[in-house]
């Protein structure tokens, strides 16, 4: 039996003084979040020969929306299939649909909310997102807007 690592080992018995997320992270890990991300990216690239972005684009381009939904659960519902067909009928390409599905799963934090996917799918179609790269940039821009919004600085 292997001993589990304690994720709070670095902070056990410490009082963290940082007022912002960045300050607290730096106090615990001895580097900024940006520095941590750069280090993780370097390790990933050394292991795979690709950046995270290149790996993600490759994954999206070699997966179907059905496979993407089926992967975590091992099953797919008729409603999931109908959702994908509806998005395809809107004119969204499979690679954009996968980025959209992934985005909704992450943003909603409760999983694949079909009504949200359909609304966002219409918006993405109106914004003429036709490639995984365009969808990726769009998602990153949306994240920046969200992070910069004053009501989201808690």
């Amino acid at each position: 039996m292997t001993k589990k690592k304690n994720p709070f080992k670095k902070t056990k018995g410490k009082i963290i003084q940082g007022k912002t997320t960045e300050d607290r992270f730096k106090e615990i890990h001895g580097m900024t979040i940006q520095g941590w991300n750069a280090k993780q990216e370097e390790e990933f690239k050394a292991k795979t020969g690709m950046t995270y972005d290149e790996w993600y684009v490759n994954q999206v381009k070699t997966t179907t929306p059905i496979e993407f939904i089926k992967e975590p659960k091992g099953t797919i519902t008729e409603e999931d299939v109908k959702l994908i067909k509806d998005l395809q009928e809107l004119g969204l390409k499979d690679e954009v649909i996968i980025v959209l599905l992934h985005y909704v799963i992450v943003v909603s934090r409760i999983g694949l909310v079909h009504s949200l996917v359909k609304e966002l799918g219409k918006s993405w179609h109106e914004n003429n997102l036709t490639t995984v790269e365009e969808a990726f940039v769009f998602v990153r821009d949306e994240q920046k807007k969200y992070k910069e919004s004053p009501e989201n600085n808690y």
Side-chain angles (χ1 to χ4, degrees):
M1 188 170 167
T2 60
K3 187 176 177 182
K4 289 185 179 180
K5 286 187 176 182
N6 182 351
F8 302 107
K9 187 176 181 180
K10 289 183 178 182
T11 58
K12 188 174 182 177
K14 276 186 168 181
I15 297 175
I16 306 302
Q17 302 293 327
K19 293 189 187 319
T20 66
T21 305
E22 184 73 29
D23 290 343
R24 290 187 296 271
F25 188 91
K26 190 171 184 178
E27 195 173 330
I28 294 167
H29 299 285
M31 66 176 69
T32 64
I33 294 171
Q34 193 173 17
W36 176 273
N37 289 339
K39 179 182 172 197
Q40 297 300 310
E41 179 90 21
E42 283 175 27
E43 290 174 3
F44 185 83
K45 190 167 185 169
K47 188 187 285 187
T48 65
M50 295 183 259
T51 65
Y52 286 135
D53 293 356
E54 291 166 340
W55 177 86
Y56 184 78
V57 168
N58 184 49
Q59 290 296 112
V60 168
K61 287 184 175 186
T62 59
T63 305
T64 67
I66 299 285
E67 291 169 333
F68 176 80
I69 292 176
K70 196 175 181 181
E71 188 176 305
K73 303 182 284 183
T75 60
I76 187 164
T77 66
E78 287 182 36
E79 291 84 17
D80 292 336
V81 173
K82 182 179 178 339
L83 173 66
I84 291 168
K85 286 181 180 178
D86 290 346
L87 294 171
Q88 289 169 332
E89 287 173 9
L90 272 175
L92 294 176
K93 293 181 180 177
D94 284 354
E95 62 188 44
V96 174
I97 291 171
I98 293 170
V99 177
L100 172 62
L101 296 171
H102 192 197
Y103 178 68
V104 171
I105 289 168
V106 170
V107 169
S108 73
R109 295 186 185 179
I110 59 170
L112 197 57
V113 180
H114 289 208
S115 57
L116 179 59
V117 173
K118 286 181 183 179
E119 285 303 310
L120 286 174
K122 290 175 189 173
S123 171
W124 285 29
H125 176 68
E126 290 166 6
N127 280 290
N128 201 29
L129 301 178
T130 59
T131 67
V132 64
E133 292 85 1
E134 291 169 347
F136 202 55
V137 168
F138 183 81
V139 167
R140 288 238 168 110
D141 290 345
E142 289 299 305
Q143 286 177 320
K144 284 179 189 172
K145 287 179 198 173
Y146 179 79
K147 286 179 182 178
E148 292 169 0
S149 177
E151 63 267 7
N152 294 317
N153 293 327
Y154 45 89

